[in-house]
Each structure stands twice: as structure tokens, then as C-alpha cells.
Amino acid sequence: MHSANHWGGSFEIYNGAESITDDEKSRNMEWDKAALQPQRHHLDETQQSWLLYRQEKKKKKFVDLGCVACSHRALKWTLYASVFVVLVIALPTVLARALPRHEPRPSPPDNYTLALHKALLFFNAQKSGKLPKNNGIPWRGDSGLQDGNGTDFSKSGLAGGYYDAGDNTKFHFPMAFAMTMLSWSVIEYSQKYEAIGEYKHTRDLIKWGTDYLLLTFNSSASKIDKIYCQVGGSQNGPRQPDDHYCWQKPEDMDYPRPSRAVNAGSDLAGEMAAALAAASIVFRDNEVYSRKLVRGAETVYAFARDLGKRKPYSRGKPFVEPFYNSTGYYDEYIWGATWLYYATGNINYMRWATEPGFSKHSKALYRISDLRYPYEEMLHMYHNKTELNMCSYLRQFNVFNWTKGGLIRLNSGRPQPLQYVANTAFLASLFVDYLNATRVPGFQCGSKFISLDVLRSFAISQINYILGDNPMKMSYVVGYGSKFPRHVHHRGASIPSDKRRYSCTGGWKWRDSPRPNPNNITGAMVGGPDRFDRFRDVRTNGNFTEPTLAGNAGLVAALSSLTSSGGIGIDKNTMFSAVPPLYPPTPPPPPAWKP
């Protein structure tokens, strides 16, 4: 119940006494009758002033909005607030969505990315066979389509693959090494290749090589008795038409190009096994092709391990020895077995990769000790040997000679040093990334601790030397920078694309011409300077100006490791995805004891 009005009247103010009808009484029965009955009282002055004040107060004006009634003032402020919301919040939002967006420009690619784009194009220029329409080298066309006609296990013969250098010979040994290096770099740095738009291109280059390598032996068999080791070539001395005597574009070759096969050659077979196995990891998203590569790798590795075929493939071969004279095959045993282990997870390949006898004969290690646990001690020794190699690359330890301009001389001052330097720079940079991935800050060189920055600086300095930071102020990669070799020792690049065919000796005038090459072979890393940092840009001197597949593959790998595009570091999963645990799994705990 509501209490009565303490001021003596009802909640309404009446001007006079009014009677309450019976109907009204019945409607208000539940209210306190005393509070509802009008009563007459004399009001004091204070009470009268209150009532008078209330009577003088202006009556608020209301607006009927249908379901809600509000005052004019409230409506006015509501409208003000709505306008504020529209102008300050809604309108900028609409404009932001409607107006064209100006995204912040991505940071420009670093020098290593720019050089990497060009270095990959060298492989397009070296292709043999029926070229794809998107090959991208306008002065190159189909060539070597008759290579290997009559081989006993390939309907397409030996068309395809890559020419090795500035001549038109296809050497399968360095070609296999180059494909291994390209695959290795893609496995470790796939995110970088994707970031710069070269992932598909590089995979296509690898597949072009591995498709060809599968033609060089009976890849459908589980056991083979020969491998084709090269197409074309020459013998030093004889003056007869061949790949060295003639100076012709690949498209114009009309001299005999024999296909050479060997019935023994563990080094060649081991290198091919590594190439096919590494590529199988790159192409794991293509299950059929990946399995085909693995089967081929296992077949040629079995050939390499065959007791009756254990000798270098170049021994006694005058068309090979002057160019790729392999000194042994035990290192290829380790190399091939390692890649097959990563590709398959088969523990037998781990056994061969860590076989103490292989390491001893390949001179991979200085000592062999008793193994306490299968593979563990040998792997530890491999790691120590790797650290020793990294130490040897640092100038402060005086293991190798250096030029005054800052180039390490890994091949004892012999010609064409850059191919060794590029591959070594890749290994050093990759080693840094592996230690970073395992949060190891450095390594020991004797009693001295070497931080990873020191080794990375070595790799950077060598690649920078190749790209122009050298006494000649010249980039040794064609097309990179403003000053680079213009007289590259390369048949296709030196002969104009004028729709004329030049004979075997008719091309000599282009070989001997002092004019720059009419076609720049973009991305080619040439042989490099001498031990005094001097370089002669002369076409007839291949020691300075001839590029190679093996050298350029190392350059591509090194550049991919150093570029900051796509982030820093390696892919820690792809390489080891097929590798099983080396140790047996921990058994489950015994069940809880019950009384």
C-alpha cells in the first residue's frame, strides 16, 4: 500500500473539492482511502511557495514517436549524436572501403634475389632437346634431337638434358651433381623460392634434368649392367669435327655425336643416385613421379655397389679423363646413400652412409674409432669434420691461400676458381642456418669459439666478390650489374641469331671476334679471375670466361641461402620427413599396481 501524502492531500492537486463517484470508488478500492480522499488543509507559507514554484515551472514538450514518447530536448541531442556517429565513424569507414587502397610498397628485393633470378636463367640457356615454348631464351631453339638414337632401352634416345658448359657436350656426371644441388637448395629454402616467384621454375629445371637422367639407364629394371655417361665430346689433339673442334650453335650441329656408355663406374652411379633421390623429395607432392625417381635411384645405387663395377667411370676413357677425371668413388657411396636415406628412411642406406670403410677410403675423416652405438659415433665424427672444414674457410687459420682482393683459393690457384667458391659459400651459409635452427650460437675451432656471424660473413664476402665487390669492380655473373663479361666462352651466345647456319669451321670467326657476344647468356657465372684477382674478358680463354653447370648450381644454392626474401632460415621438416627415429621408441609405462 502506498502511504498517504504527508502534505495532507492526494498525489494530484485539485482547485476545489470534487466528489468521487461510486464507479471511481470501485476502481480505486485497493488504494488507501485516506490518501485518495481530497482533504482541505491550511498550508503554511513554505508549502505554498513550493506549490507556486511547481506551478510556475514550464511544462515539457513531448514528441510522440509511436511506441515511445520523448522530450524535444532529448530528441534534439539524439539527432546530434546520430550525426556525430555518421560523420566521425560511419563516413570514414565507408570512404575507406570505397576509395582505392594504397597498400604499402613491399621492400625491394635484395641483391641476392636479383642475382638469383638471373642465375636460374642460365639453365634455360643450357637446355638440349625439344624446348618448351616458355623457355624464355629467344636465341635458343631445339637441338640434339638425334642424340642417342639407337639406344637399347629408350625409345626417345638421349634427347634432352643440359649442355655442360660453353661447348655442346652433355656430361652426365656434373649434370647429376648440378641437379642434386638445385634440389638441395629447394628442399632447404622452398619458402624463399616461393616468395620470389621461382619455385615452379626451379622445379621445372630439376625435372628437365632428372627426366633425362632416367633415360641414361634402364630405369624400369631393378638391375642394370650399363649407364650412358655422356653424349658428344672430343679427344684432345685430333683435328676432326666434334664438340671442341667445331664452333657451332647447338641448333646447327651436324658432326657425329657418339653416346658413350660404361659398364662400371661407381662414382657416376652414386652421383646419379643422389640426384634422383634428392629430386624425389622435391616432388613428394607428385607421388607417382617421386616413386619413379626413388626406384631409379635405388637401381643405379645397386649398380654402384656391384662388386664387379667398382672403379671410377673415367678411368681409361680419353673422352672423359681430360675433363672430369674422378679420383675415387667412396665419397659418392656416402653421398648417394645419404640422399637415399633421406628419400626412403631405409636404415640400410644409413648403414652405408656411415660405413667406416667408406669414410676412410674417401678421406672424409682423419681417424676411425670403435663405434659404441650404431651410427652415433660416426655421425658425431662427421659433425666434427664438418666443423673442421668450416674452420678451414676462415682466413684467420691460414689453411687456404687467399687473393689480396679477398677470394679464397680452394683449388690451389688453378683456373676457374669461382665454381668451388660458390659451392663452398652455400655449405657455409647452410651450416649457419642449421646451427641457428638448433639454437647453437657457434662452434669451436681448436680452443677458439667462432660465432655464427663470423662464418656467415665469410659466405657473404665470397658471394659479394662474385657479384662485383672485387678489385676489378666487375660482376662475374652475366647480366648482373653494369659491368660483367661480354666475351663469354659459349658457342650459342657468341654466334648471332641471324637465321644463317654456320659450318663447323665457319663459326670460328665468331669465336675469334673481338666484338662482344651478340647474345648475353644471362645468369652465367664465368670461370673467374686468376690468383692475382686479374680477369681477361677473352672468348678464346675458357679458364676466365667459360661457365659450367656445376658452378652455376652452387651459385643458385648460395644465393637462395643468403637472400632475405621469404624470411631467414631453413625448412626444418621436409628433409627429414621420411626419416624414422634412430632409437627405439620408449616403451609405455607399466600398469599401475593393484593390491
Side-chain angles (χ1 to χ4, degrees):
M1 298 290 289
H2 289 274
S3 61
N5 190 334
H6 298 289
W7 298 110
S10 68
F11 291 107
E12 297 288 341
I13 300 177
Y14 298 92
N15 292 326
E18 296 180 2
S19 63
I20 300 177
T21 66
D22 293 337
D23 290 339
E24 289 172 334
K25 290 180 180 179
S26 63
R27 287 196 300 266
N28 297 296
M29 290 178 62
E30 59 188 53
W31 297 96
D32 188 335
K33 295 181 179 179
L36 294 176
Q37 290 291 334
Q39 300 182 20
R40 297 177 182 272
H41 291 281
H42 295 285
L43 304 178
D44 60 26
E45 294 182 357
T46 302
Q47 293 172 337
Q48 292 180 13
S49 67
W50 286 349
L51 291 174
L52 289 174
Y53 176 79
R54 292 176 64 88
Q55 291 172 344
E56 293 176 354
K57 187 175 181 180
K58 294 183 179 179
K59 188 177 181 180
K60 291 182 179 180
K61 297 181 180 180
F62 291 86
V63 177
D64 188 354
L65 298 179
C67 60
V68 178
C70 63
S71 69
H72 276 187
R73 188 175 185 183
L75 178 62
K76 180 176 66 175
W77 283 106
T78 300
L79 292 175
Y80 286 167
S82 300
V83 172
F84 176 82
V85 169
V86 170
L87 293 178
V88 177
I89 301 176
L91 185 60
T93 303
V94 172
L95 290 175
R97 293 181 177 179
L99 294 176
R101 296 184 179 183
H102 296 283
E103 298 289 346
R105 291 184 178 180
S107 56
D110 57 34
N111 290 337
Y112 304 125
T113 298
L114 297 176
L116 180 54
H117 286 305
K118 297 181 182 296
L120 287 167
L121 287 175
F122 170 74
F123 291 90
N124 294 67
Q126 294 299 99
K127 284 183 179 179
S128 178
K130 182 73 175 176
L131 301 185
K133 293 182 179 179
N134 64 346
N135 192 49
I137 309 297
W139 47 271
R140 281 300 324 280
D142 299 342
S143 63
L145 299 180
Q146 305 304 314
D147 285 352
N149 276 357
T151 55
D152 50 357
F153 45 75
S154 175
K155 294 181 180 179
S156 59
L158 294 172
Y162 292 97
Y163 299 114
D164 180 60
D167 52 22
N168 298 330
T169 307
K170 294 189 291 191
F171 290 103
H172 303 164
F173 188 52
M175 189 190 304
F177 173 79
M179 295 305 103
T180 308
M181 294 301 292
L182 290 182
S183 293
W184 194 1
S185 69
V186 170
I187 293 167
E188 303 287 12
Y189 301 108
S190 59
Q191 78 282 6
K192 297 188 178 186
Y193 281 101
E194 290 176 346
I196 66 173
E198 292 286 7
Y199 182 67
K200 182 181 183 302
H201 178 203
T202 311
R203 279 167 52 110
D204 288 344
L205 295 177
I206 295 168
K207 191 173 186 298
W208 189 270
T210 52
D211 282 350
Y212 177 78
L213 292 176
L214 289 171
L215 300 176
T216 64
F217 64 99
N218 188 358
S219 58
S220 63
S222 58
K223 187 173 183 179
I224 58 175
D225 59 2
K226 70 176 178 180
I227 299 175
Y228 283 92
C229 64
Q230 75 181 62
V231 176
S234 65
Q235 298 184 36
N236 285 343
R239 297 175 65 84
Q240 58 184 5
D242 61 22
D243 283 324
H244 274 197
Y245 182 76
C246 298
W247 194 269
Q248 286 180 288
K249 295 189 295 183
E251 296 79 7
D252 295 339
M253 296 182 297
D254 57 358
Y255 47 82
R257 288 172 54 79
S259 300
R260 314 280 188 177
V262 293
N263 300 109
S266 297
D267 46 359
L268 172 65
E271 193 66 62
M272 289 175 59
L276 298 175
S280 76
I281 301 174
V282 173
F283 291 100
R284 276 190 178 143
D285 58 343
N286 184 342
E287 186 177 353
V288 173
Y289 188 61
S290 182
R291 284 203 307 264
K292 183 178 182 179
L293 292 171
V294 169
R295 285 196 303 268
E298 291 178 329
T299 297
V300 289
Y301 194 78
F303 177 93
R305 293 280 296 122
D306 191 316
L307 189 61
K309 305 182 186 305
R310 296 185 182 181
K311 71 174 185 178
Y313 90 103
S314 60
R315 184 174 298 171
K317 305 293 192 301
F319 49 86
V320 179
E321 279 185 316
F323 308 103
Y324 291 101
N325 186 21
S326 180
T327 57
Y329 51 83
Y330 285 100
D331 50 345
E332 279 81 20
Y333 275 168
I334 298 172
W335 182 240
T338 299
W339 280 108
L340 273 164
Y341 177 64
Y342 288 137
T344 67
N346 186 333
I347 201 66
N348 288 322
Y349 294 117
M350 171 60 81
R351 292 192 183 100
W352 288 323
T354 57
E355 168 61 38
F358 292 173
S359 301
K360 180 179 180 180
H361 289 294
S362 67
K363 300 180 181 178
L365 303 172
Y366 295 127
R367 63 181 183 85
I368 299 294
S369 62
D370 295 331
L371 302 184
R372 295 192 303 270
Y373 185 85
Y375 330 123
E376 182 180 9
E377 180 67 13
M378 186 59 67
L379 291 174
H380 182 68
M381 292 174 67
Y382 282 166
H383 178 78
N384 289 344
K385 176 59 177 176
T386 301
E387 287 188 344
L388 288 175
N389 283 338
M390 297 302 152
C391 296
S392 72
Y393 301 148
L394 302 179
R395 198 168 189 172
Q396 58 185 293
F397 297 111
N398 299 314
V399 176
F400 292 100
N401 291 325
W402 292 62
T403 69
K404 290 184 178 180
L407 184 70
I408 189 171
R409 291 167 53 192
L410 295 164
N411 62 335
S412 303
R414 291 190 294 272
Q416 300 184 326
L418 296 187
Q419 56 185 327
Y420 305 99
V421 171
N423 280 280
T424 298
F426 167 65
L427 295 178
S429 183
L430 179 64
F431 186 69
V432 170
D433 283 338
Y434 265 97
L435 293 190
N436 272 327
T438 53
R439 299 183 179 180
V440 176
F443 56 99
Q444 292 292 137
C445 292
S447 60
K448 192 167 185 179
F449 178 79
I450 302 297
S451 69
L452 299 184
D453 290 342
V454 174
L455 186 59
R456 179 85 78 185
S457 295
F458 160 77
I460 291 173
S461 71
Q462 298 307 291
I463 296 302
N464 286 352
Y465 185 104
I466 293 172
L467 297 181
D469 187 12
N470 55 64
M472 297 292 295
K473 303 301 179 185
M474 169 181 279
S475 164
Y476 293 118
V477 177
V478 176
Y480 180 84
S482 58
K483 183 181 179 182
F484 52 82
R486 303 282 181 168
H487 303 80
V488 179
H489 182 94
H490 192 275
R491 285 159 175 76
S494 64
I495 299 176
S497 301
D498 54 7
K499 298 183 179 180
R500 294 178 58 187
R501 181 186 175 280
Y502 296 92
S503 66
C504 171
T505 57
W508 287 1
K509 69 176 183 178
W510 302 112
R511 178 194 65 189
D512 301 332
S513 171
R515 295 180 180 179
N517 287 352
N519 308 306
N520 274 332
I521 181 165
T522 301
M525 182 183 71
V526 297
D530 63 16
R531 58 196 181 97
F532 300 108
D533 296 303
R534 298 174 304 198
F535 180 80
R536 295 182 61 207
D537 190 5
V538 179
R539 189 179 300 109
T540 54
N541 194 332
N543 287 337
F544 288 105
T545 59
E546 187 171 21
T548 65
L549 280 182
N552 254 75
L555 176 65
V556 166
L559 291 170
S560 70
S561 73
L562 292 176
T563 179
S564 58
S565 300
I568 303 298
I570 56 171
D571 177 347
K572 294 185 287 187
N573 299 316
T574 302
M575 175 74 84
F576 309 103
S577 59
V579 175
L582 288 179
Y583 301 95
T586 303
W593 179 81
K594 294 182 180 180

